[in-house]
Amino acid sequence: MRTQNTSSQSNGNLFAALRAAFPQDLDAVAVETDSGLFYSWRDLERATAMMANLLDSLDLPAGSRIAVQVEKSVEAMVLYLATLRAGLVFLPLNTAYQSAEIEYFIGNAEPAVVVCTARNFGWVSKIAFKAGTQCVFTLNDDRTGSLLERAAHCSDQHVVALRQADDLAAILYTSGTTGRSKGAMLTHGNMLSNALVLKDYWGWQADDVLIHALPIFHVHGLFVAIHGALLNGSKMIWLSKFDPKLVIQKMPEATVFMGVPTLYVRLLAEPGLTREAARHMRLFIAGSAPLLIETFNEWQSRTGHTILERYGMSETVMLTSNPYDQSQGERRGGTVGFPLPGVSLRVQDEDGRPVPVGEIGGIQVKGPNVFKGYWRMPEKTAEEFTPDGYFKTGDVGKIDELGYVTIVGRSKDLIISGGYNVYPAEIEACINELPGVAESAVVGIPHADFGEVGVAVVTPKPGATIDPGKIIASLKSQLANFKVPKQCFVVAALPRNTMGKVQKNILRAQYGAG
Ligand code: MCA
Ligand code: AMP
């Protein structure tokens, strides 16, 4: 066994801390996949070393971005870990993103390296080379691709790059209510501090096994789940895609599950979800979108487990959580629990004054988990922070007398659909470009499976006729599929208030009721 010559104490690199938590027995199974593959801790150690050596061999300037749009696989996780290990900056991209979206992210982030699937190499490499990217590698979900071929020739010995807590580890693009997507810059310290707090707060135990069923392009699956398991030296049961039957089948071998509310709704639709099936499980965690109280209650009665709901953001990783330890309080449905240790959370009114207990206002946060700012957008970053350093989340909520935080809405115009964020402004801008369209409004309406979905309400230009089906088809060719409104309605005019602002609440009530 090889020992690291940089200890986690002296090295602020998140990977050093994750590596230090690998169990003594490096031959134990670290990851078991749904295709029957087993990866030991030694495999992870060697594979990350080889890939980090490949990245080192490219001689990239400090802070170079590695942009990755690949299907979920253990090798994709290894690439993330290797990027940390090499001290470079990881930029994950949802596989649903289409060429215009990718062109923006790559143009904005100017990554030195882009990794994509072989299937997409043609168009992705064209975009990347145009943006000045040095190397484009391929990585497929069947352990093939030029990245692995090149890494196979590299040494499996690698010294973890020295990084400070304040150095960048990842950039996550998050859309905005106005303008284009912004890259949230997260540091090694942001993520490590949060992971350490969660390890303790959620009572990770020596024999925990995590069912990993989420995508690995966003905070939930990439950071909360992976860091949680690795920092505890826990095995992961790795599902390439969420499959409710398989999750239930794996529960007797596992202890922890993390999911967005849609996953819980879909699990509840399975007759196989019983107390017996969930008997071996220790903890079910939900987040990324509001968990309906009906889902929370039904889960309790069907499985005997109380879901632990927590709240986070791309800019902050995790912010609040219901308690794991019942002595700290009950897990209260409909709330997102207490601010995590180290997180200061306050609720303010529009004039920047704290609201009384139980009253509603804007949620603001501060702590070691809060990001460094938006990539190359200092003005936008400054706008989102208060003069005393609190980040304005854009979520609206309240804190009760016991300290439980409840999110009641959002001041940002955002739809959260199946755990993915959809910004109406982006969709409306696309619709407004289509022939015959005068204007449009996209609103979120309740949906049994995805929690919320977008619908588009469109007005035609004088004399024009609009085919709603064509609008949807056109959006499908331009946008990630989860962003495409599920329905499109053509109306003569949009409802407006006296200031001329579109009254989205009226549209939500009108189309949500149907
Ligand atoms: C798929 N579809 C969707 C969504 N997903 N529509 C709306 N919202 C969605 N989320 C549509 C597709 O457009 C497609 O429609 C059809 O469903 C089938 O697509 P498919 O990919 O096969 O769907 P699926 O496999 O059933 O996926 C549903 C899913 C997935 C498993 C719920 O959306 C998912 O994994 N969501 C989790 C997202 C997540 O990890 N979020 C965490 C963000 P068509 O055929 O018409 O095109 S991190 C975060 O928020 C923070 C910080 C936090 O607090 O955690
Ligand atoms: P993202 O931009 O993907 O990081 O999404 C962050 C947003 O997801 C937050 O600002 C919240 O609006 C929402 N969110 C995350 N967790 C929860 C939760 N448990 N309940 C309600 N909303 C949530």
Side-chain angles (χ1 to χ4, degrees):
M1 174 187 148
R2 180 179 162 271
T3 50
Q4 307 283 298
N5 60 1
T6 47
S7 76
S8 57
Q9 281 80 22
S10 60
N11 190 354
N13 189 318
L14 168 64
F15 181 82
L18 300 177
R19 173 62 187 86
F22 282 17
Q24 285 282 320
D25 179 8
L26 287 182
D27 292 317
V29 175
V31 188
E32 173 192 333
T33 73
D34 50 2
S35 51
L37 297 173
F38 292 84
Y39 294 75
S40 66
W41 294 95
R42 194 184 305 283
D43 291 333
L44 294 188
E45 159 58 21
R46 291 186 61 235
T48 54
M50 290 161 85
M51 230 182 255
N53 277 321
L54 169 60
L55 294 172
D56 284 355
S57 73
L58 303 175
D59 242 340
L60 305 173
S64 291
R65 280 78 58 208
I66 313 295
V68 179
Q69 191 197 31
V70 298
E71 299 296 339
K72 183 177 178 182
S73 68
V74 176
E75 287 68 29
M77 173 180 75
V78 165
L79 172 57
Y80 164 57
L81 297 173
T83 303
L84 293 176
R85 188 170 185 156
L88 299 167
V89 180
F90 195 70
L91 196 174
L93 295 166
N94 194 318
T95 45
Y97 293 148
Q98 304 221 31
S99 58
E101 292 158 313
I102 294 294
E103 191 165 7
Y104 172 74
F105 297 128
I106 290 184
N108 189 257
E110 297 181 324
V113 174
V114 170
V115 184
C116 64
T117 58
R119 185 164 41 90
N120 292 343
F121 181 81
W123 64 269
V124 173
S125 61
K126 219 165 162 185
I127 291 171
F129 291 132
K130 199 173 122 206
T133 295
Q134 232 168 292
C135 294
V136 181
F137 293 112
T138 58
L139 176 62
N140 305 311
D141 58 1
D142 60 355
R143 291 178 293 148
T144 62
S146 60
L147 183 80
L148 297 176
E149 283 160 22
R150 288 280 299 275
H153 298 288
C154 297
S155 161
D156 64 1
Q157 305 289 302
H158 179 268
V159 177
V160 180
L162 269 176
R163 284 295 173 271
Q164 306 289 324
D166 195 44
D167 286 331
L168 270 198
I171 296 180
L172 294 193
Y173 274 86
T174 138
S175 297
T177 42
T178 54
R180 303 305 301 261
S181 286
K182 310 173 292 265
M185 300 189 289
L186 289 163
T187 66
H188 288 267
N190 290 148
M191 296 203 279
L192 180 56
S193 62
N194 206 240
L196 288 168
V197 164
L198 293 177
K199 175 172 156 58
D200 191 44
Y201 204 75
W202 291 345
W204 278 89
Q205 294 170 11
D207 55 355
D208 270 332
V209 174
L210 172 78
I211 300 179
H212 193 303
L214 286 162
I216 56 169
F217 333 115
H218 303 284
V219 162
H220 202 159
L222 184 63
F223 299 153
V224 188
I226 290 177
H227 297 165
L230 295 184
L231 200 57
N232 195 51
S234 283
K235 175 178 151 179
M236 284 186 260
I237 296 179
W238 187 264
L239 310 190
S240 48
K241 203 171 180 324
F242 171 68
D243 171 351
K245 287 192 172 55
L246 194 51
V247 170
I248 294 167
Q249 190 189 319
K250 290 294 177 189
M251 281 182 189
E253 300 163 40
T255 58
V256 182
F257 177 77
M258 296 183 191
V260 300
T262 300
L263 305 201
Y264 286 96
V265 169
R266 292 188 182 184
L267 284 163
L268 281 167
E270 293 293 326
L273 182 78
T274 58
R275 255 168 210 258
E276 185 48 30
R279 199 167 53 86
H280 194 256
M281 294 293 290
R282 177 176 75 78
L283 183 58
F284 289 95
I285 300 170
S288 308
L291 181 75
L292 292 182
I293 192 73
E294 293 80 1
T295 311
F296 177 87
N297 289 339
E298 200 186 337
W299 192 268
Q300 215 166 28
S301 66
R302 280 275 289 282
T303 68
H305 287 275
T306 307
I307 295 176
L308 178 156
E309 186 174 0
R310 84 328 174 257
Y311 155 55
M313 292 185 75
S314 299
E315 287 93 335
T316 64
V317 207
M318 294 300 99
L319 288 165
T320 73
S321 172
N322 270 279
Y324 170 69
D325 181 351
Q326 303 284 342
S327 71
Q328 293 179 19
E330 59 171 353
R331 290 178 211 159
R332 212 169 261 198
T335 83
V336 292
F338 305 123
L340 286 166
V343 174
S344 302
L345 184 147
R346 69 187 186 193
V347 177
Q348 293 216 333
D349 66 18
E350 280 178 5
D351 301 322
R353 284 185 304 248
V355 303
V357 169
E359 290 201 10
I360 289 166
I363 297 178
Q364 301 180 351
V365 294
K366 197 180 198 173
N369 52 315
V370 175
F371 74 135
K372 209 173 165 161
Y374 294 112
W375 172 253
R376 292 180 180 162
M377 287 187 182
E379 295 85 12
K380 193 77 205 154
T381 304
E383 272 172 34
E384 302 301 329
F385 282 86
T386 62
D388 60 347
Y390 278 76
F391 173 60
K392 302 181 220 166
T393 63
D395 291 309
V396 174
K398 58 183 180 180
I399 309 178
D400 72 12
E401 63 291 345
L402 294 175
Y404 285 92
V405 178
T406 301
I407 299 173
V408 299
R410 304 167 201 127
S411 60
K412 49 195 174 191
D413 189 11
L414 159 69
I415 300 166
I416 304 185
S417 187
Y420 283 139
N421 289 5
V422 179
Y423 283 86
E426 183 188 0
I427 321 302
E428 289 158 5
C430 282
I431 299 175
N432 295 347
E433 291 294 310
L434 297 176
V437 173
E439 59 173 359
S440 62
V442 172
V443 293
I445 60 164
H447 190 268
D449 183 31
F450 293 124
E452 213 180 0
V453 292
V455 297
V457 188
V458 180
T459 67
K461 281 184 177 149
T465 309
I466 294 178
D467 175 351
K470 282 202 178 134
I471 301 265
I472 300 280
S474 176
L475 293 178
K476 277 191 179 176
S477 69
Q478 295 182 57
L479 294 168
N481 58 7
F482 62 86
K483 294 182 190 170
V484 177
K486 300 293 180 208
Q487 278 178 288
C488 175
F489 300 94
V490 180
V491 298
L494 296 174
R496 291 183 183 278
N497 64 15
T498 46
M499 309 289 286
K501 198 167 178 278
V502 175
Q503 290 170 301
K504 289 199 165 182
N505 52 336
I506 293 183
L507 295 175
R508 271 190 286 270
Q510 191 176 343
Y511 295 98

